[in-house]
Amino acid sequence: MDEDFDYSHVPPSFTHCFQASCARAGGCLRRLAALHIPPDVWKVEAVNPRSVPGDGSECPHFITTRKARIAWGTKHLVDHVPHKVAVAIRKELIRYFSKTIFFRIQRKERYLTPAEQDYIRAVFRRYGVKEEPAYEYYTEEYPFDCQRRSR
């Protein structure tokens, strides 16, 4: 069991898995969450065991326990980019994320998943910027919000 696992980070709608016999249970975030449910949590969502084929080796519900590199803060994202290009990049990112989400990301109220970081890198490349996007800092987090991208 992962001793640094903090159940308070598990979103309320996260689906847990109680299949101890599953071939992938040891590396599955859904199983890890199920093993750490505190006694005061009386209700959780769970994977239907009948929806898991065979021994679970090809489970469609599997999410890795490998932590994701999460980026925080974009205040200096385009500081080293020519002004005209920076304005275009910023407009495209606001269009993609929405104005509200973009500014929440900028203020570090919301993080960027690895897939979102890849998208931003692709926008930079489309505008001819070879430099990597610069974020304020990174953390390693379990991929609760990155479920589909972490399979």
Side-chain angles (χ1 to χ4, degrees):
M1 214 164 21
D2 196 337
E3 297 306 319
D4 73 337
F5 188 85
D6 183 354
Y7 191 83
S8 69
H9 293 131
V10 177
S13 62
F14 188 73
T15 305
H16 298 62
C17 184
F18 296 92
Q19 295 296 106
S21 61
C22 176
R24 299 180 84 183
C28 182
L29 188 58
R30 295 189 190 285
R31 177 71 180 147
L32 185 62
L35 292 171
H36 285 84
I37 301 171
D40 62 323
V41 175
W42 68 277
K43 179 179 143 185
V44 296
E45 286 192 31
V47 171
N48 174 0
R50 295 180 70 192
S51 72
V52 179
D55 66 353
S57 60
E58 296 298 321
C59 180
H61 312 295
F62 175 81
I63 301 172
T64 182
T65 55
R66 186 176 52 243
K67 290 184 177 182
R69 188 170 191 233
I70 302 300
W72 293 88
T74 58
K75 282 196 180 194
H76 305 288
L77 187 66
V78 291
D79 283 0
H80 302 291
V81 176
H83 179 72
K84 192 174 181 179
V85 174
V87 169
I89 288 173
R90 187 177 159 95
K91 280 183 183 178
E92 186 165 337
L93 294 179
I94 288 172
R95 223 178 2 259
Y96 179 79
F97 287 106
S98 84
K99 194 175 202 175
T100 302
I101 299 297
F102 179 82
F103 288 109
R104 287 189 67 218
I105 292 167
Q106 188 174 36
R107 292 188 306 262
K108 298 182 290 275
E109 295 170 3
R110 181 191 180 282
Y111 60 74
L112 288 160
T113 67
E116 291 168 336
Q117 294 169 53
D118 290 343
Y119 174 79
I120 292 171
R121 184 177 300 107
V123 170
F124 270 50
R125 298 303 177 265
R126 268 199 311 276
Y127 284 94
V129 179
K130 294 188 183 353
E131 181 178 313
E132 283 296 308
Y135 304 103
E136 293 181 42
Y137 65 92
Y138 294 91
T139 58
E140 297 289 320
E141 309 283 340
Y142 287 107
F144 293 112
D145 296 337
C146 315
Q147 295 178 26
R148 300 255 178 243
R149 298 174 194 97
S150 299
R151 284 193 181 156

